[in-house]
Amino acid sequence: MKEKTEILELNAPSMQAKIYIGAGILKERLPSLTAGRKCFVVTDTNVYALYRPFFDEYFKDAGLFVLPAGEENKNFQSLYAILSAMAEAGVLRTSRLFAIGGGVVGDIGGLAAALYMRGISCVQVPTTLLAQVDSGVGGKTAVDLGGVKNIVGAFYQPEEVVVDTEFLKTLPLREIKCGMGEIVKYAALDGKFFKTLSENTDELSSLEFLQSLIADSIRLKAGVVERDEKESGERKCLNVGHTTSHAIELTHGFSHGEGVLYGMLLETHIAIQAGVCEKEYGGKLIKIIRAAIEVEPKSAPDFKNIKADAAKAKADKKNTRGDKITLSVAKKQNEWTTLTLDFDFYANALERAVKELSL
Ligand code: NAD
Ligand code: GLY
């Protein structure tokens, strides 16, 4: 059965964007999106290899930059190379950049669009589950620098997001699990997601089940972004688990979604320790997160050096002020908060969480 197309709107202060969701929707959208302008495509080596005939057919006159796949390439050198390729291809202010790939391509492609000639039109085409439910929507763009994730970037809304679920057919299991990690994040923020996931933990490995949550995930995120585009308040809720996640991703070789699952697990335990998260609710949330972590393929973290991981979290200046570190944590159903802790408390609580959760 062909799934129906959904069209959502994101009315952010800086941009009104349409979000199209459906199987095969990209090919329907491309004729009008590419007509009459110079286009430039950023993708990565894996997506390009898998979808070469599509690129050849639909973007034969466009400029193209194929980024080597992987988070390690979300950096300044790649950004410089993309911008140089855009200049060389004769990209104009009236041109349009298509970022076709996972969150790495979306983040760096979106930043290139924001910077080139002070901003050209950008269309995000997220091809991973993670990018479809999270990074493709909301206009955060960035590269990593000096081992710190997303430290250089811009808020830059795409004009349109095309979420074509056909892309998910070629996604490796590990990447499906990563996208599931960000969907589990929504359970920490929203009672409906919490209920759906706690009642269906045995479905967490099913792509069909996860796919059925894409539109609601986007709806939830778009609402947050509309109310707080530049993350001065409410948008911080989307960072649950992320302070610890960003510290452990690079050192533990985790993908972002895997890191978010462990980050949420540890930070929920810390929030219970700090008396901020209701114990019973926190226990239920931990149950969902644990079920998600158990889905194959499992990552094999080694948290023996957790003090060093804590120090890494402190080095990420986005969440620290002096000796304080801030986490976004769930409090109870439908309620979250930011939790600012003395760094020593955080480091000790992290160690205790690893021990008590038997990680
Ligand atoms: P990714 O872009 O590295 O993609 C994961 C892997 O899947 C890559 O190897 C990629 O080549 C491959 N791939 C992509 N589409 C595919 C397809 N259809 N079939 C087969 N393989 C495919 O990583 P990701 O998990 O998509 O995104 C993680 C990145 O997103 C991180 O850099 C993270 O910081 C960022 N992020 C940004 C935001 C935001 O709001 N901007 C939110 C969450 C995460
Ligand atoms: N993924 C966090 C945000 O978009 O704000």
Side-chain angles (χ1 to χ4, degrees):
M1 192 181 71
K2 192 177 178 327
E3 74 189 71
K4 72 173 173 30
T5 299
E6 289 204 54
I7 306 169
L8 309 180
E9 281 195 9
L10 193 155
N11 294 305
S14 73
M15 171 75 75
Q16 285 193 320
K18 280 227 159 46
I19 303 166
Y20 289 80
I21 309 165
I25 186 70
L26 181 57
K27 288 179 181 170
E28 285 175 35
R29 292 299 306 141
L30 280 177
S32 59
L33 286 169
T34 54
R37 29 169 130 204
K38 171 93 192 160
C39 294
F40 190 87
V41 177
V42 179
T43 188
D44 77 13
T45 41
N46 292 337
V47 178
Y48 190 60
L50 284 163
Y51 295 96
R52 177 88 195 252
F54 157 79
F55 286 105
D56 290 347
E57 184 180 345
Y58 283 85
F59 288 106
K60 61 177 181 311
D61 298 323
L64 173 72
F65 188 92
V66 184
L67 181 73
E71 178 75 29
E72 64 278 17
N73 299 304
K74 201 176 99 175
N75 59 29
F76 256 123
Q77 288 76 9
S78 304
L79 180 65
Y80 179 81
I82 293 171
L83 292 169
S84 304
M86 288 167 77
E88 209 162 292
V91 171
L92 304 170
R93 189 171 245 165
T94 51
S95 303
R96 175 167 279 158
L97 184 146
F98 289 79
I100 306 180
V104 166
V105 164
D107 278 9
I108 197 168
L111 185 54
L115 293 173
Y116 192 83
M117 292 191 176
R118 301 195 183 92
I120 65 167
S121 168
C122 177
V123 170
Q124 289 281 351
V125 184
T127 62
T128 61
L129 180 62
L130 183 144
Q132 296 194 347
V133 298
D134 189 350
S135 64
V137 175
K140 273 191 183 176
T141 73
V143 291
D144 306 333
L145 179 68
V148 179
K149 277 184 59 84
N150 303 331
I151 192 82
V152 177
F155 289 99
Y156 194 68
Q157 295 295 342
E159 271 189 61
E160 188 165 313
V161 184
V162 186
V163 176
D164 191 332
T165 51
E166 285 285 309
F167 280 112
L168 303 179
K169 287 186 177 158
T170 53
L171 208 55
L173 279 182
R174 182 180 181 200
E175 302 307 333
I176 293 171
K177 181 171 180 180
C178 287
M180 182 259 278
E182 296 285 14
I183 293 175
V184 169
K185 174 178 89 178
Y186 297 132
L189 305 175
D190 178 84
K192 226 176 92 195
F193 267 90
F194 181 82
K195 187 168 181 300
T196 305
L197 294 196
S198 51
E199 286 171 358
N200 293 283
T201 46
D202 50 347
E203 292 286 324
L204 286 172
S205 58
S206 152
L207 178 58
E208 208 184 339
F209 172 68
L210 298 170
Q211 213 169 305
S212 73
L213 299 171
I214 291 176
D216 280 341
S217 299
I218 294 174
R219 234 176 246 117
L220 190 155
K221 176 159 184 183
V224 173
V225 173
E226 282 178 358
R227 293 186 293 274
D228 179 23
E229 184 181 20
K230 299 278 169 72
E231 200 172 297
S232 51
E234 185 185 352
R235 188 166 180 169
K236 292 191 172 91
C237 75
L238 298 173
N239 298 334
V240 284
H242 280 53
T243 301
T244 305
S245 168
H246 282 176
I248 60 183
E249 277 171 45
L250 300 177
T251 36
H252 289 255
F254 284 154
S255 292
H256 182 66
E258 294 168 319
V260 166
L261 283 173
Y262 278 103
M264 280 180 58
L265 182 66
L266 292 162
E267 291 185 9
T268 304
H269 195 283
I270 292 171
I272 296 172
Q273 290 180 51
V276 163
C277 179
E278 270 182 15
K279 212 169 169 190
E280 194 188 339
Y281 166 77
K284 287 183 189 160
L285 185 58
I286 282 178
K287 223 166 152 193
I288 300 176
I289 303 167
R290 275 205 187 271
I293 284 173
E294 283 306 306
V295 168
E296 296 289 351
K298 286 186 211 159
S299 36
D302 175 1
F303 287 119
K304 278 192 199 73
N305 209 355
I306 195 70
K307 287 271 192 225
D309 293 331
K312 198 105 208 305
K314 194 179 183 189
D316 183 342
K317 300 286 180 225
K318 294 194 296 303
N319 302 307
T320 52
R321 293 274 177 289
D323 256 358
K324 307 268 186 207
I325 187 158
T326 299
L327 320 175
S328 296
V329 295
K331 260 177 100 171
K332 56 184 177 185
Q333 197 151 315
N334 282 321
E335 227 179 280
W336 70 281
T337 186
T338 51
L339 173 61
T340 298
L341 300 168
D342 285 335
F343 179 72
D344 286 346
F345 181 98
Y346 168 75
N348 289 330
L350 196 58
E351 202 168 23
R352 186 173 151 199
V354 165
K355 212 174 277 161
E356 290 183 8
L357 291 163
S358 310
L359 296 178

